[in-house]
Amino acid sequence: MTEEFLLNTGSTIEEGRLAKGGSKLTDDYTEECAVCEMNLEDFLELGSPDKVTVTSRDGHNVVVYAYADQRVQSHQVFMPRAIWANVVVDPETFSTGSPLYKGSPVKIAPTTEKVLSAEELVTKFYMRG
């Protein structure tokens, strides 16, 4: 089952603490930032998955941990602004030099695939030969 959502990203206190502290390659950073928070009803509709694949309009996708959070509006999701979100954020900048960190359309589906570390994501997406 695949559902369409609007992706919102932003910094979190813990993401900032880990990133500024030089901990981007740690398990703690992956556990804090490789997540997709969604409304409880949406989460239940997807079958309460442990992990989801988030896919952008242009077909880029990333696997992250899924969590329910009542603070998130229905059919919207939140991901901390980190490399996992960067894979699927709409790259259009509208001449501002900054991509759309709020309101990017994405598709979300449950998965059993592995959540990659930041280092593995860099290798997969940016170190192609």
Side-chain angles (χ1 to χ4, degrees):
M1 167 182 246
T2 302
E3 294 282 333
E4 292 190 16
F5 294 86
L6 291 179
L7 170 65
N8 294 303
T9 68
S11 297
T12 67
I13 292 171
E14 193 63 11
E15 172 268 327
R17 183 187 71 77
L18 290 163
K20 302 297 186 226
S23 299
K24 287 186 176 184
L25 301 180
T26 65
D27 290 341
D28 286 345
Y29 190 72
T30 300
E31 290 171 16
E32 174 65 26
C33 298
V35 299
C36 178
E37 298 174 7
M38 61 184 67
N39 180 275
L40 177 60
E41 292 172 13
D42 295 333
F43 180 75
L44 293 172
E45 190 171 312
L46 283 174
S48 305
D50 291 329
K51 297 178 278 186
V52 293
T53 299
V54 181
T55 305
S56 65
R57 278 193 292 193
D58 60 5
H60 292 108
N61 64 66
V62 66
V63 174
V64 292
Y65 299 105
Y67 296 102
D69 188 327
Q70 277 304 107
R71 296 175 296 175
V72 178
Q73 297 294 312
S74 182
H75 288 89
Q76 295 189 25
V77 296
F78 175 81
M79 292 176 67
R81 195 166 63 193
I83 190 168
W84 295 270
N86 288 347
V87 171
V88 293
V89 164
D90 190 336
E92 178 60 58
T93 68
F94 300 99
S95 300
T96 66
S98 184
L100 294 175
Y101 290 112
K102 307 280 190 261
S104 295
V106 294
K107 291 184 179 179
I108 296 181
T111 189
T112 57
E113 292 182 44
K114 177 185 176 193
V115 174
L116 300 179
S117 69
E119 185 175 16
E120 290 167 325
L121 275 182
V122 168
T123 300
K124 179 179 179 179
F125 289 103
Y126 304 106
M127 302 297 284
R128 296 179 186 165

